[in-house]
Amino acid sequence: MSQSHRYKEIQLAQLRSFCLAANEGNFTSAARALGLSASTVWQQVRALERELKAKLLRRRGRAVELTDEGRLLLEVVQPHVSGLDSLRRFFEMRQEGVRPELVLASGAYLLANHLPQPISRFRAERPAVLVTLRVAA
């Protein structure tokens, strides 16, 4: 793929760079977490902005802050990026024979009155997942 066509479509790397820069508040911290240069993270975010035709992050000195469009995008894509990023660990755990675990912390009232049916459905659909319930004070 030529350099001029490199960022013509939305890519997971762009979304990941955007999410990290937004959460970290600057490109340098995001770059460090990703093992990239700050300029690469900046280029990925700029390419994403061009593709979406929206300003997502506003620079404030060395810091960045989300625009309204950026807040909306972060809210929509962060769960998906996090989920995709957890795939490798999920498969590693599976290969190691580690049973996935869901820890659910809730107040006593909610746990007793509203969660039994959803928990039962979850257990029926995912019998391999260990479900641990904790009553939060």
Side-chain angles (χ1 to χ4, degrees):
M1 181 177 285
S2 74
Q3 184 71 12
S4 63
H5 293 36
R6 189 171 183 181
Y7 298 117
K8 293 293 183 185
E9 295 178 3
I10 295 174
Q11 299 175 6
L12 178 58
Q14 294 167 344
L15 295 172
R16 186 180 289 119
S17 289
F18 164 73
C19 289
L20 271 170
N23 288 322
E24 294 290 328
N26 68 60
F27 292 116
T28 304
S29 295
R32 195 173 303 118
L34 291 167
L36 301 170
S37 69
S39 67
T40 298
V41 172
W42 179 83
Q43 288 173 356
Q44 289 178 339
V45 173
R46 287 290 300 135
L48 183 60
E49 289 177 330
R50 281 192 305 275
E51 183 66 27
L52 297 175
K53 297 176 178 59
K55 185 76 172 164
L56 303 172
L57 296 173
R58 187 176 301 112
R59 282 187 164 212
R60 296 284 185 229
R62 292 184 180 260
V64 294
E65 64 182 30
L66 287 163
T67 64
D68 290 341
E69 293 87 356
R71 262 189 285 297
L72 176 63
L73 181 63
L74 185 64
E75 183 180 320
V76 170
V77 302
Q78 181 71 69
H80 300 286
V81 171
S82 297
L84 289 169
D85 285 344
S86 71
L87 281 175
R88 178 176 287 126
R89 184 65 191 137
F90 173 78
F91 279 95
E92 286 171 356
M93 288 173 55
R94 236 181 112 137
Q95 290 166 352
E96 294 168 1
V98 176
R99 188 173 180 192
E101 180 180 13
L102 171 67
V103 178
L104 180 62
S106 174
Y109 174 81
L110 188 62
L111 193 57
N113 296 300
H114 295 284
L115 293 177
Q117 287 181 346
I119 291 170
S120 292
R121 281 194 308 271
F122 181 87
R123 283 182 166 161
E125 293 171 7
R126 296 168 184 88
V129 177
L130 175 64
V131 178
T132 304
L133 305 176
R134 296 204 175 127
V135 177

